[in-house]
């Protein structure tokens, strides 16, 4: 595998920091450039960032000078991993694509666009196949909302074997999902906030696209009706989801659990460095998964499922836990970039 030069847009934010930490020592990717807002541009990364992760800033990042999020900063990169807020991404990401860069985005700005794959590699790796003709000419790939990622991984084996018709999901989402400038401690201590702007709409729209089909004309969503209820809770990392599912037939919980246990996904044979084996782990204890105990399974890339049982309304219910800033954000974006490399979609850009 070639070594690809990677840039990070939004490098000083929480997801940007996660990307930098996960790139340290990566066998396929080398950190080349960092972009951030005007407040940080022109400064050493170590001086510009409020580092919020355990341990020190990786040496390869600390000494880099932060640039603007533009073509000039990333001109020597083969791929840009974007951790930009949606409002900024709407302007920056298309400009980078027009400049011929491959962009893998964590932003919600273009997830539902007809020509942009929304990818969870174990679930829909084939959705990137249409990008081969655009290698070297610029394109955009997105990873889903952090809660939608865990939900899609848990439901994929059920949808493939039995068909998923309807889903009701209530999320318990960690504070880190709101970024470094998220809710104040005073807002969340001894409290649960039953509203996260745009989260419910994202989950309800994105699940169908992820579990649907790709074609030459775009993406045909799976005909799944989703009702989401999103809550911010006082945990640091890890989104928990209580899920009720209606399948295409009456499936015993034991059979549903077996389908999830056997699931290996679409990329098991590609050797992607960030891909967990297996992508799903089932806990049999009646009080698991628990956020603090299970969120770091598989280095934060494995989704943990438990309490698979009958639902008197929809037929089946379960609990899903995923690490929101790893599997649902930085790790998911990095895994998408690895998928593009393994599928021959990433091109090495010639230096000027």
């Amino acid at each position: 595998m070639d070594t690809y030069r990677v840039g990070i847009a939004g490098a000083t934010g929480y997801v940007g920091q996660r990307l930098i930490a996960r790139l340290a020592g990566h066998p396929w990717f080398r950190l080349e450039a960092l972009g951030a807002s005007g407040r940080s541009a022109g400064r050493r990364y170590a001086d510009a960032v409020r580092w919020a992760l355990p341990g020190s800033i990786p040496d390869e990042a600390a000494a880099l000078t932060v640039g603007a999020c533009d073509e000039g900063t990333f001109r020597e990169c083969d791929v840009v991993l974007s951790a930009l807020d949606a409002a900024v991404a709407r302007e920056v990401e298309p400009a980078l694509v027009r400049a011929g860069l491959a962009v893998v985005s964590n932003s919600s700005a273009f997830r539902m666009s007809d020509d942009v794959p929304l990818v969870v590699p174990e679930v829909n790796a084939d959705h990137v196949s249409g990008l081969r003709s655009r290698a070297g000419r610029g394109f955009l790939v997105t990873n889903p909302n952090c809660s939608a990622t865990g939900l899609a991984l848990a439901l994929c084996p059920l949808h493939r074997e039995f068909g998923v018709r309807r889903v009701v999901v209530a999320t318990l989402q960690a504070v880190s999902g709101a970024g470094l400038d998220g809710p104040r401690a005073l807002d969340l201590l001894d409290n649960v906030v039953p509203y996260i702007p745009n989260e419910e709409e994202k989950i309800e729209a994105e699940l169908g696209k992820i579990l649907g089909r790709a074609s030459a004309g775009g993406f045909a969503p799976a005909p799944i009706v989703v009702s989401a209820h999103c809550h911010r809770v006082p945990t640091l990392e890890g989104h928990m989801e209580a899920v009720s599912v209606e399948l295409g037939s009456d499936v015993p919980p034991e059979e549903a659990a077996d389908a999830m246990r056997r699931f290996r996904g679409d990329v098991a044979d590609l050797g992607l460095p960030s891909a967990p084996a297996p992508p799903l782990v089932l806990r049999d204890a009646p009080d698991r998964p628990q956020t603090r105990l299970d969120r770091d399974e598989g280095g934060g890339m494995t989704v943990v499922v438990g309490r698979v049982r009958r639902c008197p309304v929809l037929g089946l219910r379960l609990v899903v836990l995923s690490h929101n800033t790893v599997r649902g954000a930085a790790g998911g974006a990095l895994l998408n970039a690895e998928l593009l490399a393994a599928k021959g979609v990433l091109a090495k850009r010639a230096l000027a």
Side-chain angles (χ1 to χ4, degrees):
M1 177 64 65
D2 290 332
T3 299
Y4 294 90
R5 299 159 296 181
V6 178
I8 298 177
T12 56
Y14 194 60
V15 174
Q17 294 179 35
R18 282 279 186 198
L19 284 167
I20 286 170
R22 296 190 73 84
L23 279 169
H26 195 283
W28 296 3
F29 297 142
R30 174 173 57 83
L31 184 62
E32 180 71 26
L34 301 174
S37 68
R39 297 188 304 273
S40 301
R43 302 170 66 188
R44 290 176 66 251
Y45 184 73
D47 299 326
V49 69
R50 177 163 58 99
W51 190 251
L53 299 181
S56 302
I57 303 170
D59 291 342
E60 56 265 42
L64 286 177
T65 299
V66 179
C69 290
D70 58 21
E71 177 188 1
T73 296
F74 301 121
R75 64 183 178 276
E76 296 187 358
C77 296
D78 302 309
V79 60
V80 175
L81 306 180
S82 173
L84 297 170
D85 290 339
V88 179
R90 287 190 188 96
E91 302 296 327
V92 170
E93 291 175 358
L96 296 178
V97 170
R98 288 193 296 270
L101 284 158
V103 179
V104 178
S105 176
N106 187 67
S107 166
S108 64
F110 298 102
R111 286 176 186 155
M112 299 308 295
S113 297
D114 290 339
D115 60 343
V116 175
L118 179 62
V119 180
V120 178
E122 294 93 338
V123 175
N124 61 348
D126 62 310
H127 285 200
V128 306
S129 298
L131 297 176
R132 288 194 182 94
S133 63
R134 293 158 63 181
R137 296 192 293 113
F139 58 81
L140 176 64
V141 171
T142 59
N143 52 294
N145 169 271
C146 44
S147 292
T149 297
L151 185 62
L153 273 162
L155 294 184
C156 179
L158 301 180
H159 187 56
R160 290 183 178 182
E161 294 205 24
F162 315 112
V164 172
R165 291 179 175 174
R166 294 192 294 170
V167 178
V168 176
V169 54
T171 70
L172 307 172
Q173 298 185 215
V175 180
S176 57
L180 291 175
D181 297 320
R184 301 175 303 163
L186 186 63
D187 296 324
L188 275 181
L189 287 174
D190 191 33
N191 200 23
V192 172
V193 179
Y195 173 68
I196 305 173
N198 302 314
E199 285 288 293
E200 293 167 354
E201 294 85 354
K202 292 174 186 175
I203 295 171
E204 291 171 358
E206 292 176 18
L207 184 66
K209 184 173 181 179
I210 300 164
L211 295 178
R213 295 179 294 102
S215 68
F219 303 94
I224 301 172
V225 180
V226 183
S227 175
H229 311 262
C230 294
H231 310 76
R232 186 73 72 195
V233 299
T235 53
L236 295 178
E237 306 270 13
H239 287 356
M240 184 173 287
E241 302 171 75
V243 187
S244 286
V245 187
E246 181 184 73
L247 300 176
S249 59
D250 182 25
V251 177
E254 298 78 12
E255 191 173 341
D258 182 63
M260 288 185 280
R261 282 193 178 92
R262 289 185 282 104
F263 180 69
R264 293 297 178 266
D266 296 347
V267 296
D269 298 327
L270 293 182
L272 306 186
S274 298
L280 288 178
V281 165
L282 268 71
R283 296 279 190 254
D284 293 323
D287 61 349
R288 302 286 285 271
Q290 294 182 23
T291 302
R292 182 165 50 85
L293 301 180
D294 293 303
R295 63 192 170 199
D296 292 319
E297 184 74 26
M301 290 295 287
T302 296
V303 172
V304 183
V305 176
R307 303 207 68 209
V308 182
R309 61 210 193 279
R310 286 203 176 273
C311 172
V313 178
L314 294 184
L316 185 74
R317 52 186 165 174
L318 56 148
V319 175
V320 177
L321 177 70
S322 59
H323 197 304
N324 55 297
T325 61
V326 178
R327 180 79 230 203
L334 185 56
L335 186 61
N336 280 347
E338 293 169 1
L339 173 66
L340 296 173
K343 292 285 190 179
V345 178
L346 283 186
K348 297 281 291 182
R349 282 162 53 92
L351 296 178

